[in-house]
Amino acid sequence: MIAIAVGKAGMAVKEVYSLEVDELSEILRAWSEKEDAEYRDRWERTRFLALTALLPYQKKGKRLKPTDIAKFPWDNPHGKTTSEDLERIRTMFGED
């Protein structure tokens, strides 16, 4: 935990040793949540940019959605690729 607090979260060694274990744990949990939110935000922006770049090429009557471009683990609560996902990908790339 100390290596993460100092190396990743940017805390000073003295600061880490002045904390109780539960305090350090809570700080690292909050830091991890912040990092995860930033990671997701970067991927969501990338997906949105890809969507806007592809909008002029969408088929008539078919409205592209962000999840048509890329599905992320946080889009599916189970985090698994389904047969519906595979069928959607085949349709998108014309492999009927």
Side-chain angles (χ1 to χ4, degrees):
M1 282 181 23
I2 295 169
I4 294 171
V6 174
K8 300 271 186 177
M11 296 176 69
V13 174
K14 286 183 181 181
E15 186 179 18
V16 173
Y17 282 111
S18 71
L19 297 170
E20 297 290 328
V21 173
D22 59 334
E23 293 172 323
L24 179 58
S25 179
E26 187 63 24
I27 289 168
L28 292 178
R29 184 196 57 75
W31 172 81
S32 178
E33 287 177 1
K34 179 185 87 57
E35 289 291 308
D36 187 48
E38 289 175 359
Y39 175 81
R40 287 181 181 199
D41 183 58
R42 287 191 299 269
W43 276 110
E44 291 289 347
R45 281 185 275 143
T46 301
R47 179 166 62 177
F48 179 75
L49 286 171
L51 175 67
T52 57
L54 292 173
L55 284 177
Y57 306 101
Q58 68 185 352
K59 295 178 183 178
K60 287 192 177 211
K62 170 107 168 80
R63 187 86 196 201
L64 282 174
K65 298 178 291 191
T67 54
D68 293 333
I69 305 302
K71 277 196 155 190
F72 300 126
W74 53 89
D75 292 332
N76 183 351
H78 303 293
K80 296 181 180 175
T81 303
T82 64
S83 58
E84 292 170 352
D85 294 334
L86 295 174
E87 186 58 37
R88 180 183 51 80
I89 291 168
R90 279 191 208 102
T91 303
M92 280 178 55
F93 291 100
E95 295 180 21
D96 296 295

